[in-house]
Amino acid sequence: MKELDWKNIGFGYVKTNCNIRCEFHNGQWGEPYLTSDEFLPLHIAATSLHYGQEVFEGAKVFRGVDGKARLFRIEENARRMKASADYLLMAAPSEELFIDMCEKVIRANADFLPPYGTGASLYVRPLLIGTTAEVGVKTARDYMFLIFVTPVGPYFKNGFAPIDVVLEKLHDRAAPRGTGQAKVGGNYAASIQAGAFAHERGFSNELYLDAAEQKYIDEFGAANFFAIRDGAYITPLSRSVLGSITNKSLRTLAEDLGLRVEDRKIEYEKEIATFDEVGACGTAAVISPVGRLYDPNKDKWYEYDAPGKYSTMMFHALQDIQYGRAEDKHGWTRIIEGI
Ligand SMILES: *Cc1c(COP(=O)(O)O)cnc(C)c1O
């Protein structure tokens, strides 16, 4: 194993042994290959560079208490990438190819999988790009699917601590009939100003309302929204929200804890002051408990119990499965044998 300062590596790119790639030409995928090259030979007119024909994924591998390496719900990432690619009229790897390449690249970089107990994990980043040279706006005929891994530190250095978030008032992340439900780089381009401005002012994240009416809660910059109130786990139903795998898992865990799950429109003005707990959820942090939400339209702060009782229980329940401390009764983890 590499000797890295696992607790302090943060969330940046760390060079590993290799990445894995597979190319699509003449209507079919070729053989995946490992390479230590961190650069791509890419045509200057590739569709991904000019017209955003690019979709990506994010997953994590955890070294468990029993020493085993566990990949969390990777088939969900494979399906979501296929859905995102379909939206952009791109060829996508099959679920089988996707998972097989994930396993291969993780095995080849096993010495970068952080040890148990450090809170660090191995982040897996699958990326699919159009590579055909085009000048007009069209879908590519050639694609590159690649996966790199990089060790990432614990999200919470100071424990499971509350965050401050801000209601976004100047920007929309995704249009009601746009690409919000696809994991495309373009959505991040749309939110980069809002995110930078929020960070500048000391907020960890920004909350978006629906772009059409500014009436319903959509999601945070790169994390889904959920709230707890009166025995219910409440999360927005919206076409412009990215279907978070963490959120999907939390819904199940909430039910396990006896909460009722409400997947519905959430009217901001009517409900924002009524929640007991509010959380941002995603692969990076599992749950970031929201302590305070600042509303710049009203110059008003909303406060929540953070970390609240249910957020804390769900956070531990999910991490216990990821680290092999609890029985994986929903079949969410895939053990990478032999590393
Ligand atoms: C990736 C992503 C999330 C989190 O999804 P997970 O599958 O839980 O990691 C939430 N919102 C957006 C916009 C995302 O791109």
Side-chain angles (χ1 to χ4, degrees):
M1 197 198 307
K2 298 284 168 187
E3 289 298 325
L4 293 176
D5 182 7
W6 301 109
K7 287 189 171 141
N8 294 305
I9 44 179
F11 196 82
Y13 178 81
V14 174
K15 183 174 163 50
T16 60
N17 301 329
C18 57
N19 57 84
I20 192 164
R21 302 177 188 186
C22 190
E23 291 170 38
F24 183 91
H25 301 293
N26 303 315
Q28 55 186 10
W29 288 101
E31 278 300 310
Y33 54 94
L34 290 164
T35 171
S36 59
D37 192 350
E38 294 171 280
F39 294 85
L40 282 173
L42 193 58
H43 195 283
I44 54 172
T47 61
S48 51
L49 292 178
H50 299 262
Y51 304 124
Q53 223 186 11
E54 176 267 359
V55 304
F56 67 98
E57 275 303 324
K60 276 180 175 178
V61 192
F62 303 87
R63 177 73 75 190
V65 65
D66 53 3
K68 292 183 176 154
R70 285 179 177 77
L71 190 49
F72 188 72
R73 302 195 82 173
I74 196 66
E75 59 298 325
E76 292 286 340
N77 294 93
R79 282 177 211 145
R80 190 169 65 187
M81 175 166 268
K82 168 85 170 81
S84 301
D86 284 351
Y87 197 91
L88 269 58
L89 303 180
M90 301 168 75
S94 66
E95 197 174 315
E96 197 188 357
L97 178 63
F98 185 103
I99 295 172
D100 179 57
M101 285 174 61
C102 281
E103 290 208 2
K104 283 200 172 98
V105 72
I106 293 163
R107 271 211 188 86
N109 291 291
D111 46 350
F112 285 92
L113 176 59
Y116 177 75
T118 54
S121 54
L122 189 68
Y123 185 72
V124 180
R125 168 53 61 89
L127 176 73
L128 175 66
I129 57 173
T131 54
T132 309
E134 286 288 357
V135 180
V137 182
K138 325 191 168 117
T139 183
R141 280 162 276 110
D142 308 276
Y143 295 90
M144 164 81 81
F145 174 52
L146 67 88
I147 309 172
F148 70 79
V149 297
T150 194
V152 292
Y155 197 84
F156 297 109
K157 280 217 182 90
N158 310 312
F160 187 47
I163 59 165
D164 283 350
V165 298
V166 61
L167 179 72
E168 178 53 42
K169 74 170 200 177
L170 295 175
H171 304 84
D172 293 316
R173 191 192 76 93
R177 296 182 296 175
T179 51
Q181 83 288 61
K183 207 167 176 76
V184 304
N187 293 336
Y188 285 76
S191 64
I192 203 157
Q193 270 200 24
F197 193 45
H199 282 125
E200 248 168 54
R201 290 177 296 161
F203 296 103
S204 301
N205 220 329
E206 72 282 4
L207 178 65
Y208 293 92
L209 301 183
D210 77 284
E213 296 184 87
Q214 297 292 302
K215 186 170 175 190
Y216 301 101
I217 296 174
D218 254 0
E219 66 172 315
F220 294 100
N224 275 189
F225 174 99
F226 74 86
I228 306 284
R229 186 186 64 213
D230 300 336
Y233 176 95
I234 309 164
T235 194
L237 184 66
S238 161
R239 241 202 80 171
S240 48
V241 166
L242 193 279
S244 151
I245 298 164
T246 312
N247 193 359
K248 187 173 181 179
S249 309
L250 293 177
R251 284 183 186 116
T252 303
L253 295 174
E255 275 174 354
D256 290 353
L257 289 172
L259 293 169
R260 190 173 70 252
V261 172
E262 296 180 12
D263 233 328
R264 60 168 172 82
K265 288 189 162 190
I266 305 175
E267 217 176 299
Y268 175 82
E269 286 300 339
K270 238 162 97 183
E271 300 199 56
I272 198 68
T274 70
F275 299 126
D276 300 323
E277 301 176 35
V278 166
C281 63
T283 296
V286 179
I287 293 173
S288 299
V290 173
R292 300 191 302 168
L293 165 75
Y294 177 66
D295 182 335
N297 297 318
K298 295 196 282 256
D299 188 22
K300 186 170 173 182
W301 292 85
Y302 296 98
E303 295 197 20
Y304 306 99
D305 187 14
K309 178 175 126 190
Y310 285 104
S311 299
T312 305
M313 285 196 286
M314 291 188 296
F315 175 78
H316 289 303
L318 192 63
Q319 291 239 297
D320 285 349
I321 292 170
Q322 291 173 329
Y323 286 108
R325 294 184 297 246
E327 185 203 345
D328 178 16
K329 63 177 180 177
H330 300 292
W332 286 342
T333 57
R334 170 180 291 260
I335 291 169
I336 314 283
E337 304 287 353
I339 60 167

